[in-house]
Amino acid sequence: MPFIPHTDADTAAMLRAIGVADIEALFDEIPDRLRSAPSGTPRAGLSEMEMRRRFAERAAQDAMGPCFVGAGCYDHHIPAAVWDLASRGEFMTAYTPYQAEASQGTLQVIYEFQTMLCELTGMDACNASVYEGGAGLAEAVLMAVRANRKAARAGWPRTVPMAGAVHPLYVRATRSIVCNQGIDVPMLPYGEDGRVDLTALDGLAPPPVALVVQQPNFFGVLEDVDAIADWAAERGTLLVACVNPLSLALLKPPSAWGSVGANIVCGDGQPLGVPMASGGPSFGFLCSRQALVRQLPGRIVGRTEDARGEAGFTLTLQAREQHIRRAKATSNICTNQGLLVTAATIHMSLLGAAGLREVAAASCAKTRELVQALGRPRRFSAPCFHECVIDLGRPATPVVEALARDGLLGGLALGPYFAELAHCVLVCATERRTSAEIERFATALRGALSN
Amino acid sequence: MPFIPHTDADTAAMLRAIGVADIEALFDEIPDRLRSAPSGTPRAGLSEMEMRRRFAERAAQDAMGPCFVGAGCYDHHIPAAVWDLASRGEFMTAYTPYQAEASQGTLQVIYEFQTMLCELTGMDACNASVYEGGAGLAEAVLMAVRANRKAARAGWPRTVPMAGAVHPLYVRATRSIVCNQGIDVPMLPYGEDGRVDLTALDGLAPPPVALVVQQPNFFGVLEDVDAIADWAAERGTLLVACVNPLSLALLKPPSAWGSVGANIVCGDGQPLGVPMASGGPSFGFLCSRQALVRQLPGRIVGRTEDARGEAGFTLTLQAREQHIRRAKATSNICTNQGLLVTAATIHMSLLGAAGLREVAAASCAKTRELVQALGRPRRFSAPCFHECVIDLGRPATPVVEALARDGLLGGLALGPYFAELAHCVLVCATERRTSAEIERFATALRGALSN
Amino acid sequence: MGAQTIFDLSQPGRGAGAQRPSPAAADDLPPELRRDAPPRLPQVSELQALRHYTNLSRANFSIDSQFYPLGSCTMKYNPRGAHRAASEPGFLARHPLAPASVSQGFLACLHDLQELLKDAAGMPAMSLTPMAGAQGEFAGVAMIRAWHDAQGDASRREILVPAGAHGTNPATAAMCGCTVREVAVRDHGDVDLDALKAAVGANTAGLMMTNPSTCGVFERRVTDIADIVHDAGGLLYYDGANLNAILGKAKPGDMGFDVLHFNLHKTFATPHGGGGPGAGPVGATARLAPFLPGPIVERTDDDYQWVEPAQSIGRLSAFMGNAGILLRALAYALMLGTEGERRVGEFATLNANYLAARLKDAGFDLAWPKRRASHEFIITLAALARRHGVTAMDFAKRLLDFGVHAPTTYFPLMVPECLLIEPTETECKEELDAFVAAMECILAEAKSDPETVRTAPHAMPVKRLDDVKAARELDLRWRPQ
Amino acid sequence: MGAQTIFDLSQPGRGAGAQRPSPAAADDLPPELRRDAPPRLPQVSELQALRHYTNLSRANFSIDSQFYPLGSCTMKYNPRGAHRAASEPGFLARHPLAPASVSQGFLACLHDLQELLKDAAGMPAMSLTPMAGAQGEFAGVAMIRAWHDAQGDASRREILVPAGAHGTNPATAAMCGCTVREVAVRDHGDVDLDALKAAVGANTAGLMMTNPSTCGVFERRVTDIADIVHDAGGLLYYDGANLNAILGKAKPGDMGFDVLHFNLHKTFATPHGGGGPGAGPVGATARLAPFLPGPIVERTDDDYQWVEPAQSIGRLSAFMGNAGILLRALAYALMLGTEGERRVGEFATLNANYLAARLKDAGFDLAWPKRRASHEFIITLAALARRHGVTAMDFAKRLLDFGVHAPTTYFPLMVPECLLIEPTETECKEELDAFVAAMECILAEAKSDPETVRTAPHAMPVKRLDDVKAARELDLRWRPQ
Ligand SMILES: Cc1ncc(COP(=O)(O)O)c(C=O)c1O
Ligand SMILES: Cc1ncc(COP(=O)(O)O)c(C=O)c1O
């Protein structure tokens, strides 16, 4: 029997110490009619060997050639050291660092992580992660609504519009979460250039409590974030910036958007050392200006001193959290995505600003090469980052399916997300894609389109 | 540039401290005509990402279906914990434990390993590994020749016969090593049952210094070790037993062979948690009776006390070794196969005697199932362990090549090792082989034989 | 050294050269959108980073290195085999939006896990998507809300929780736009049924509870509770954090619960990762099934497909959940088998009752001495605190010096100076005995030398940390001196 | 706790259940060949084993956690990328006797490595099979012997080594059936040419030496040495343990050596593994090439093939060598590139000379103050030892308390109370400065408080260990009490 160390002698001695005849007796407070065995035919336990064989076979079933899909999850190189370190038992099997003195490793990692994210985003504070990008955006919206005192005082409606090209799956997650607090999340239209059309908002009075913009947006297009930030600042609307942290190695930090910058920055950390792994676990991050620190959800680590006056780290501002503040907490989040934060911290240490910049630039360049090689028109005119919408001139879903049968992920068909883009695919080529792979995609696409 | 941390400022400060103008100046004692750059076109350094892509492609090139070859290297299950632990930096990147106080981890692991091997073999002492099975057998032979005082006194010729079915590659390695000390290694014939034919020795006077027997032998056949051990003991010939350590979970330990047992036990530890990995790194082990401890080559760990009287571990009997005894050392071995010993120790802890016994028994049973399924006659009549020689009735090498093209390793063709067995293959099915895989082999073989 | 950060090791121009792709221009990005100055990330060599994080890891306690009798957290052995199985290259490289047609291996795994969990829950429907217990709770309360709305009963916005409920329960209710009402717990740790009867009414959306409860005892009248809530028109949410105690022995579905979550990072042994990730699959009875969050895997005759339940509360995250954790949980469940699952509950309970008995003998006060411990139990140090000025927190910190992680302190809130102790089934008797010995030793110290206990820990990388200073003089990020 | 072994944790009937295959009978094995009683291996749970070995690992120093200025050992950073690359499933699962036709990926890797190493050696032939430096030496001396035999000159059985040669050199010569003769080293660390001339003769098989030598200096008259030996009919063996110093700067083949080995676990950064494994490829000039040990990879027009050299000394192991280490070395060399290789030698030398200069300033005596350090250098504490009764060993042990591994002590043998210090190129200036600070601190202690130094270490898991007792009261295996 796996994992249980008790010998018969142990069990007997323990039962004696308790003073019962058998283990069954320990369940005597459970009413008989609630006792039940697992139903169906009993499953024999598999040995580790058998279990791994099953997993290996199933994983092999799904093995694919090169991946040209991004859409919030990117196939970047991860240095071997990242997961060799993050998988050390002391990181991987540690509990939440509530006992600070026995958790200095985890705590210092988070403190370093917070610093790195503040550097990337230009914000003053960062939490120790939320679940992922979509749920993180929901937390950011809730936070913005809580934090906009002016709006609350003035009784503005709880409306938080989103730029039209915010990741549609982030929008869905945000809506299902924030609707329970009566927050309305309307979508703004996107223009022919692929960027948000703010004129749709111009008439609004009172203005929205907060506004969400994504940079680069779902289409890979770069928004005019200066104009958006200024629009929001002028109206007392809090600006929530949803960003790809890797892009910030090249792009202006949200703190520097327009004249005053964004108020809250969120996003998904997957590009920072997290394998695609079907999209999870990854981690969401949430940063803010100093003024909003007490509205942040989730854990935050602070540096302090020990009884000898030496520096050390501990969870702080816990009065925001559910285990202290209960129904009045800033969020219900408890378990977060700590191990991924550890990996990301190590990843960023190994890459540094220069390395991240080169990864971002190489991904941009590869995507340019890809678009060129595919020879199909871009759907949107504005500059893009490392993703791009391509018009195939016919329904895209069957084409993508055909490419998949050919063994490659040839972009994301957009029809299921935007009916008007049913002929389009969103493609991405990270720094890992070789010219040979790009050529393979181009050839396969030509084949698929000629059928 | 990878791995070198020096900034320009560091380099400048360091050169200043040394008092030279540039790094070049530090090489001024090398005569000019000996200075040389690498020849050929310079190779650009690859990033880790590029390097790993190359390796991944090449490894994928060699990916094979199920392995039915043993012949000294076996496809056993290895618990995930084994290498997760052995790959911890503290084990993997530690140096030889010469500084005992800073190496208690490695030292205690070796002490535990020595104990486990003594338990398996029944011997009194074990070293901390030699390179592998073949070189280990050479060390055992050298050791036996050094240790047989009676033979030396009596001036017996330096002859160490080997049983005819000792692994032919072990024989080759042993010969190339021991021939330099003028030791002759004749092969004894094997009989129709696949076991050694000792009658060939019976006439010999004086008897050989030592005798080597392998159990199970290269053909997978079980030798009559009791008779062999008694034969050797009666004549003052030292018996070197070469064994598969896994088999000792089921089989009689060499200490119990005949009335007095073997004197020296060696073998390869690969079946104890070491991946096949093209045959290396694995490790050789060498065990002996107490009387011969000082003749053991390589490192040995002993338990002792520290200055407070607490137990601790240290390298001991170092006066046998090259760094102390130089030309009079028992061997020139320095770097051994330590990390593999660590893995094996963890492996044995996880499996325990019962687990090893079940692995061995399951491998025996699978091999029986395989032989049955293949439907070809066994070549040797004596009982076998988890390998078996099968007669294909036609030259085996092309058949094995055909099976390989089919994606499976269908046994080892024996022609290159034993001309008289050119129609035979040595097959093995470990506990990892499924009935489906066995069926696949059987079908493929039928196909190959019907061509 | 303790607090030398990676930034302190940084030097301009240093880096890990092997991690840099070949430089590429990105000149076509509009200049006004580019950043002026690079972020001040560390500039260190690969070895410096490796050594820094290796040594930081060594400043942690973990299951792999210590015993963690941490009540409510179920810190049991996290099988390395499950970790490796989930790390198969084919799984790690799978893009979340890969078509289902080329994802049948992955979908088959999720489907297997759904089936397994349904059986353990005693419920006919399961969604794997919630990323932790709290997100499972959120899903559950949102489903309860949506159900009432679908019945045209939009006034039901009150969630009841027993006193001592875990903080995520009230926080979840609030996040779902509900109000929270506490129900008292009686002497022996059971819910006060009279108080419950008084609390339910037309506004009752539902009740959230654990069973075994956070008091470490099995709620004996759970079906009465279910009847009271159901009769009042409410629904019952089962917080599965304590499921380890009854795995293979009893099913929440049989107790009258309508919806539940699992903490796979507890009951199904996936690692806690220093705070996460986890997974909180949510199960439902037939009437709540249409409201489950998506996506869910459905098996057709030909293959596996993603589906969204008809009246789904929606997505809770962009993709499908913490896939890697789900795979680990499946690996664990497969290794257990039916028999192994049953033994989990049995030996978790045996260990807890043994430890309770031993500690009682050693002179510690059990919070509910007349009850069976479930998988965990509570001792209260209130008397000790009064007598020797040594608190539960002091005890907890001192335990660290003995190489044992502290039990959960001051939870549940209604037991003064308490330690909530959960040994789990994967610890052996010797480990439990060593814990008792440490507790006895600290108890003796508390009497003879309370200062040592009060100023503990002494053998950790840092001494006791000043939390007040941390909160007052916020230092949330490194800055150059 | 320190010395609680895995056997002390064992209980009859305990085990790691998930590691047991389904039981199978092996009834057909002859009863007289079966064992009576099972070996007394540990019976522990998976968690017990995991925790035990995790904690044991934490009692080690390692490159991943500490600086190791260990002369002659080249303890530099072992890239994790190389480790992962060599761990590709396709490589780990490859059987050593798989036909070459289905091993082209692996053979291509070996061939690339052979080519790389030939270039670094300045020699036209290379065999990868030796499993460590000492086995490379064995191959080399056996080849020298075989060459003389092939010339019909079987009387040449004497191997010369400079005083202070590494122990493996004389031991190898002896293992090859040769006798050993030492040649003196002069004041500044160079070989005494007169002594050499006197030593060579009709029995001279060859000379083994390192260059830079074990004295940490480059042998300036190496070509004169080569001429003397060659003129006397002998051959020259290059011990490549110190090649890190001249990588990309000079080649042994150009210096007149006939055969050499690499220590890939030094120069090519493969991990030492707590004692091994390593790899010791052996290179040869054209005339010695036919004698190389096999197998070697040859590239034909179509593919890669295994070949055995015509007059090969034979196999040194059953299969083809430490494949996994060879793959790691190739990965490392590929990441370096030509330019990176050159920088290895340069920065290894820079670090050594910097450290030597700093220590000299700090008052330490360099063994050869007038010479350039190569990648390593020697300080002698003889004066200190006399004055304060503090030995080089005491210094070494005290360094451990500062979190630095001790340098190599008492080697080479001819320098009294010496420390051989090799920082390697992968350590940064701050690390070297911290080492100097520690040395200064210990120097001050040696004067003010020698007892602290003499009884060091104080911060390790154990105090100084009793080696004499270990050798006198041999305890080489655990036994039940
Ligand atoms: C009783 C109880 N409920 C809910 C939770 C929340 O689960 P999670 O941390 O996975 O969000 C916990 C976690 O500790 C718990 O103990
Ligand atoms: C100078 C020298 N030669 C030879 C060797 C032997 O190499 P190995 O330990 O790989 O057998 C060493 C190892 O430390 C060495 O330093």
Side-chain angles (χ1 to χ4, degrees), chain B residues 6 29 33 39 43 58 62 92 94 101-102 106 111-112 119 176 180 248 252 278 304 358 368 401, chain D residues 20 28 35 40 53 60-61 94 105-106 112 119 223 273-274 315 338 351 371 397 466 475 477:
Chain B
H6 298 66
E29 292 189 356
R33 62 194 184 89
S39 58
R43 290 175 297 107
R58 287 195 169 158
D62 294 356
M92 191 166 73
E101 296 84 358
T106 292
Y111 179 84
E112 293 179 2
E119 282 293 331
S176 18
N180 288 286
L248 295 179
K252 200 189 269 197
S278 295
T304 183
E358 287 172 17
R368 308 283 178 276
E401 283 285 349
Chain D
R20 309 273 289 266
D28 61 350
R35 72 188 294 154
R40 286 168 302 178
Y53 292 108
N60 267 1
F61 272 32
R94 189 182 165 275
F106 176 62
D112 286 353
D119 190 23
T223 51
R315 291 271 178 134
T338 312
N351 272 5
R371 298 294 304 272
K397 297 290 183 201
D466 186 344
D475 174 355
R477 56 154 301 179

Side-chain angles (χ1 to χ4, degrees), chain A residues 256-294:
Chain A
W257 292 359
S259 47
V260 301
N263 305 87
I264 297 169
V265 181
C266 65
D268 194 286
Q270 189 275 333
L272 301 174
V274 178
M276 295 194 291
S278 296
S282 173
F283 69 93
F285 59 86
L286 205 40
C287 302
S288 80
R289 302 288 196 184
Q290 189 66 36
L292 304 187
V293 168
R294 288 183 162 75

Side-chain angles (χ1 to χ4, degrees), chain A residues 95 334-335, chain C residues 72 132-134 137 166 168 210 214 239 241 261 263 265-266:
Chain A
Y95 191 64
C334 175
T335 292
Chain C
S72 177
E137 294 176 36
H166 191 264
T168 50
T210 52
T214 49
D239 174 340
H261 82 263
N263 284 72
H265 44 306
K266 300 182 180 187

Side-chain angles (χ1 to χ4, degrees), chain D residues 191-250:
Chain D
V191 167
D192 183 333
L193 293 195
D194 295 330
L196 178 63
K197 281 177 200 148
V200 294
N203 294 330
T204 301
L207 169 79
M208 303 177 82
M209 67 179 283
T210 52
N211 191 23
S213 71
T214 48
C215 301
V217 296
F218 190 89
E219 179 65 61
R220 289 169 289 194
R221 295 167 66 186
V222 60
T223 51
D224 297 337
I225 293 173
D227 290 344
I228 294 167
V229 175
H230 282 149
D231 288 349
L235 297 176
L236 279 95
Y237 185 85
Y238 181 88
D239 174 340
N242 289 349
L243 206 77
N244 216 49
I246 57 166
L247 199 63
K249 288 296 197 187

Side-chain angles (χ1 to χ4, degrees), chain A residues 1-3 5-6 14 18 24-25 27-29 33-39 42-43 45-46 51-52 55-56 58-59 61-62 69-70 73 77 79 85 87-97 99-106 108 111-112 114-115 119-120 131-132 169 173 176 180-181 248 250-252 276-278 280-281 299 301-308 311 313-314 316 322 326-327 332 335-339 345 349-351 353-356 358 361 368 401, chain C residues 2-7 16 19-21 24 28 32-35 39-41 52-54 56-57 60-64 68 70 73 75 78 80 88 91-96 101 103-106 112 116 119 131 134 145 165 167-168 171-172 174-176 220 223 245 249-251 254 265 271-277 313 315 317-318 322-324 327 333-335 337-339 341 343 347 349 351 354 371-372 397 406 425-426 463-467 470-471 475-478:
Chain A
M1 284 289 154
F3 313 128
H6 298 66
M14 293 168 81
I18 302 169
E24 216 34 54
F27 291 88
D28 56 6
E29 292 189 359
R33 65 196 181 88
L34 296 184
R35 299 293 302 281
S36 70
S39 57
R43 291 175 296 109
L46 302 185
M51 178 277 290
R52 291 200 60 188
F55 271 64
R58 288 195 169 159
Q61 233 182 306
D62 295 356
V69 182
C73 188
H77 170 67
L85 287 167
S87 302
R88 283 173 60 84
E90 293 95 325
F91 281 135
M92 192 165 73
T93 73
Y95 191 64
T96 305
Q99 288 294 339
E101 296 83 359
S103 313
Q104 287 295 297
T106 293
Q108 184 171 335
Y111 179 83
E112 293 179 1
Q114 293 173 178
T115 306
E119 282 293 331
L120 282 172
Y131 303 127
E132 49 78 75
L169 292 170
S176 18
N180 288 286
Q181 296 193 23
L248 295 178
L250 274 173
L251 299 181
K252 201 188 269 195
M276 295 194 291
S278 296
R299 297 173 192 136
V301 170
R303 175 144 65 172
T304 183
E305 285 178 0
D306 74 1
R308 283 170 316 197
F313 301 89
T314 188
T316 192
Q322 46 75 28
R326 304 176 69 83
N332 71 338
T335 292
N336 60 19
Q337 307 282 119
L339 192 65
T345 306
S349 299
L350 287 168
L351 274 285
L356 292 180
E358 287 172 17
R368 309 281 179 276
E401 284 285 348
Chain C
Q4 190 167 55
T5 68
I6 190 80
F7 302 97
Q19 305 309 338
R20 311 271 290 264
D28 62 350
E32 70 279 10
L33 292 179
R34 306 175 68 115
R35 72 188 294 154
R40 287 168 302 179
L41 299 184
H52 179 70
Y53 292 108
T54 298
L56 274 191
S57 79
N60 268 1
F61 271 33
S62 69
I63 271 292
D64 278 8
Y68 256 80
L70 196 61
C73 298
M75 294 293 285
N78 310 135
R80 285 273 163 179
E88 283 288 338
F91 288 139
L92 285 186
R94 189 183 165 274
H95 192 282
S101 57
S103 306
Q104 292 295 304
F106 176 63
D112 287 353
L116 272 163
D119 190 23
M131 290 195 152
R145 207 184 126 132
T168 50
T172 297
M175 202 165 165
C176 279
R220 291 169 287 194
T223 50
K249 287 297 198 187
K251 299 177 179 182
D254 296 341
H265 44 306
H272 274 77
I313 57 162
R315 291 269 178 136
S317 55
N322 275 335
L327 291 172
L334 290 179
M335 289 190 285
T338 312
E339 172 71 4
E341 240 169 64
R343 284 166 53 97
F347 286 84
T349 303
N351 272 6
Y354 173 70
R371 299 295 304 271
R372 289 272 183 242
K397 297 291 183 199
E425 74 280 5
T426 61
K463 293 278 216 170
R464 206 178 291 194
L465 290 162
D466 186 343
D467 287 335
D475 175 354
L476 308 183
R477 53 156 302 178
W478 179 90

Side-chain angles (χ1 to χ4, degrees), chain B residues 137 161-171 186-191 193-197 212-223 242 380 389 418 420-421 426:
Chain B
L137 180 53
M162 300 239 192
V166 171
H167 195 308
L169 292 170
Y170 284 28
V171 175
M187 297 304 291
L188 300 176
Y190 59 85
D193 60 355
R195 303 192 298 179
V196 66
D197 182 359
V212 177
V213 65
Q214 186 171 17
Q215 177 81 327
N217 72 22
F218 179 68
F219 300 142
V221 162
L222 292 167
E223 300 274 6
C242 182
F380 299 113
V389 176
F418 299 89
E420 71 277 19
L421 299 178
L426 177 66

Side-chain angles (χ1 to χ4, degrees), chain B residues 95 334-335, chain D residues 72 132-134 137 166 168 210 239 241 263 265-266:
Chain B
Y95 191 64
C334 176
T335 291
Chain D
S72 177
E137 293 176 36
H166 191 264
T168 50
T210 52
D239 174 340
N263 285 73
H265 43 306
K266 299 182 181 187

